[in-house]
Amino acid sequence: MKRRIRYMLLMPVLTVQALSSCMHYDEPTGNPDEPATVNLAFSVAGSAKSQTRLSDSVTQENSTRSLYRDLDMNTLTLIPFSKQGKIESSDRPLRLFDGSGYERFYENKDDNYGGFYLYQGFNMMRGTASFLVYAKASETTPTKPEGVDAKSFYGSLVKEMPLDLSPDGITFSPEAIAIKADADKYAQLLADYLTYIAEAQATDEMTNVTYKWANISESQWRVLFLNFTGQENDGNLLMAGSSANVMAHVNALYSKISALSYETGSLGAKMKADILSRIKKYTAKGLSLTFEGDQLTGIGVGNPAKDYPAIIGLPDGAAALQWAPKNDNSGYAFIPRTETSTTANMNTITRYCYPAALWYYANSQINTSNKSGIDDYYSSDDYKTWPALLGNYENTSSFVTGNTTAVAIRDPLQYAVARLKMTMQSDATLKDARGKTITPTGTSFPLTGIIVSSQHKVRFDFKPSEATGEESHADDKFIYDSQMKKSDGTYCYLSTTEQKIPSTLALQSYDGEEVTIIMEFRNDSGQDFHSKTGIIYRGTKFYLIGKIKPNEKINPDDYEKRVFTQDHVTTVDMKVVSNTTTNSLENAYNVLPDILGGRLEVGVQLTPKWYFATPVNIPME
């Protein structure tokens, strides 16, 4: 009967040094087409230690055994090759006879991190010399908070592997969050509500003529209508279309209309009454309105009712509405916008994706042994490191023969993804687009999410494909990471004190590619403020944009040639500033602009640095 054993060992190195033992290749015995039965071992490298970083159990930031998430054995894939060397996309794999059913077992040793895995009785083709190994971190720990989507919490990638497991057919892609049809359905409910209000009308008793709000010539009503429909500046303005923004927009209108005073029975009085009635008495299947007195306090869509677009996992800034002609040309209405166009400076919503899941990867040759009982070393306290255990395999960089009894995949599995680690800080006072002073203190501006551009499909080696020799952005995705709460369940708040933000996992970016990072804040300051794109209402979210370029020094290290590199940490210090040339809040957005094609107003300063992700001997200050 096969036995599968897993040991927890400390893995303190990134690359295993070649051992000095001699290579002994015994001639195969028996039928070369029959598999050899061996003990197969591989390891998982540990993570870098960080004494100043907040604990982040999902990204496995701290080097402690309690935070090691283990491997999801259902995702473990071992692909054998006869090539003695690094596997390339053109190489073809051997047949793998047995690779399932790994059993999890812990050996109680203090301060162990990473893992050593042993499979006893593994059938392997003779001539096997190297392996590609893939595995995703387990999603059994840490425990997902109630009400949070699993993919938003643990991350997700779409894995594609051909039946023959050839490297040139293996890809990993960002997974889009939203289905466009869902966005259209929910956004239409909010659009119809605003359209119903905008279609208010009243009859003049003197002339018996019915006037629509849009057609009243009195300047006061005209200004109110243009403001409500987003036409006050440059025509059909793209408006924020989230539940929170629609609620704030309607409440602002209600307040302005309520303040108007007209003689009873006049056209103005009737128009005022009709608008206020439409705000409070609208009903539609799938839309829920909640009022406290005259104040609209909640707008939900779906059943059960939830905020839009949070109901489909998107950032509030992905939701947009525009006052435009109806499809049948019968008039104007609020139209949901979900795609980039010449009149809609926004991102197509299917570009938003989940953060990358924590995948591991190895491209390694093997060591072999012809001795029996080599598995006894795995439980011995004399062998606590992976290099020490490898020393018991007498054939270095070898291949499987008929006499082989044990095989070890030499290089530990490393992180296949990159990690973004950020800090944020603010000047003591900030100014908006109208020069109003805003003081970010206490809980004024919680960080509720980040958006990271430049996520592409990657190949078998977790590097983006550049088959044509040029970057391709047709399928670019933008990470939306909404899991910004710290380990104690509280937010990071914008202040003069540096805040350390939970990490985000990402795929490797192109060499030389500029990456856009957008910070999502909620305005809990108790006051509205103005930006170049409109009013940032209290209780709504706004976005500040920063850009990162790879290191531009003359001879950069390889990982400095790009913003994100697999198995590396990109650290970014973000600061919101206000000085004679830059007013960060002036450049705040309430609708996320087109990252690929639009001109972006930069609102934050970003300073990047790069580090390895897994070796413990590299500090992360």
Side-chain angles (χ1 to χ4, degrees), residues 41-109:
F42 63 91
S43 69
V44 178
S47 169
K49 289 183 177 179
S50 173
Q51 302 302 324
T52 60
R53 184 66 174 84
L54 294 169
S55 172
D56 187 0
S57 52
V58 172
T59 58
Q60 242 174 234
E61 179 160 351
N62 288 346
S63 183
T64 61
R65 182 165 65 92
S66 62
L67 288 182
Y68 177 57
R69 289 172 52 189
D70 205 0
L71 301 182
D72 178 354
M73 289 305 178
N74 292 322
T75 66
L76 178 64
T77 304
L78 300 103
I79 309 175
F81 295 81
S82 60
K83 180 179 181 179
Q84 291 181 275
K86 189 176 182 64
I87 303 304
E88 305 293 342
S89 62
S90 58
D91 293 323
R92 291 296 174 264
L94 296 170
R95 180 181 175 189
L96 182 64
F97 287 90
D98 192 348
S100 62
Y102 292 86
E103 182 177 317
R104 175 178 171 181
F105 174 81
Y106 286 106
E107 182 179 353
N108 294 322
K109 294 181 179 180

Side-chain angles (χ1 to χ4, degrees), residues 83-336:
K83 180 179 181 179
Q84 291 181 275
K86 189 176 182 64
I87 303 304
E88 305 293 342
S89 62
S90 58
D91 293 323
R92 291 296 174 264
L94 296 170
R95 180 181 175 189
L96 182 64
F97 287 90
D98 192 348
S100 62
Y102 292 86
E103 182 177 317
R104 175 178 171 181
F105 174 81
Y106 286 106
E107 182 179 353
N108 294 322
K109 294 181 179 180
D110 293 337
D111 299 325
N112 288 338
Y113 182 71
F116 173 80
Y117 294 77
L118 172 66
Y119 189 99
Q120 295 180 317
F122 191 95
N123 293 322
M124 190 179 302
M125 284 290 290
R126 303 181 193 196
T128 298
S130 300
F131 273 90
L132 289 178
V133 186
Y134 302 93
K136 188 173 72 170
S138 171
E139 294 184 358
T140 58
T141 57
T143 303
K144 178 181 69 68
E146 185 176 355
V148 176
D149 177 70
K151 292 179 180 179
S152 296
F153 187 67
Y154 296 112
S156 182
L157 291 175
V158 178
K159 178 187 70 173
E160 294 184 8
M161 287 191 175
L163 292 177
D164 65 356
L165 300 179
S166 296
D168 59 0
I170 298 174
T171 61
F172 294 83
S173 305
E175 182 174 356
I177 295 173
I179 299 173
K180 184 177 179 297
D182 288 342
D184 289 340
K185 175 179 65 176
Y186 292 128
Q188 191 65 55
L189 291 170
L190 298 175
D192 290 345
Y193 176 45
L194 294 184
T195 299
Y196 178 72
I197 296 171
E199 291 177 341
Q201 59 185 19
T203 301
D204 188 334
E205 291 184 353
M206 298 290 294
T207 62
N208 201 32
V209 174
T210 299
Y211 292 90
K212 292 183 178 180
W213 180 13
N215 297 330
I216 294 183
S217 58
E218 185 181 338
S219 60
Q220 181 172 243
W221 285 107
R222 185 63 181 164
V223 169
L224 285 170
F225 182 79
L226 293 177
N227 286 343
F228 184 69
T229 55
Q231 302 178 82
E232 67 273 23
N233 294 320
D234 56 354
N236 298 31
L237 181 71
L238 198 66
M239 298 172 56
S242 69
S243 290
N245 276 285
V246 169
M247 182 171 67
H249 193 52
V250 170
N251 280 330
L253 176 67
Y254 195 99
S255 178
K256 293 175 184 177
I257 297 295
S258 296
L260 299 178
S261 179
Y262 288 95
E263 183 180 345
T264 301
S266 66
L267 178 64
K270 289 185 175 183
M271 183 64 71
K272 172 182 175 179
D274 191 49
I275 293 175
L276 296 182
S277 175
R278 286 171 178 259
I279 288 174
K280 298 190 69 173
K281 295 183 179 181
Y282 180 76
T283 59
K285 184 178 181 180
L287 182 70
S288 174
L289 303 178
T290 304
F291 287 88
E292 292 183 7
D294 293 332
Q295 191 78 6
L296 180 59
T297 57
I299 300 181
V301 296
N303 186 20
K306 294 182 179 180
D307 289 346
Y308 175 79
I311 190 173
I312 54 174
L314 291 179
D316 277 16
L321 299 169
Q322 197 168 35
W323 184 253
K326 296 179 181 179
N327 292 332
D328 60 2
N329 293 318
S330 61
Y332 277 72
F334 282 97
I335 308 297

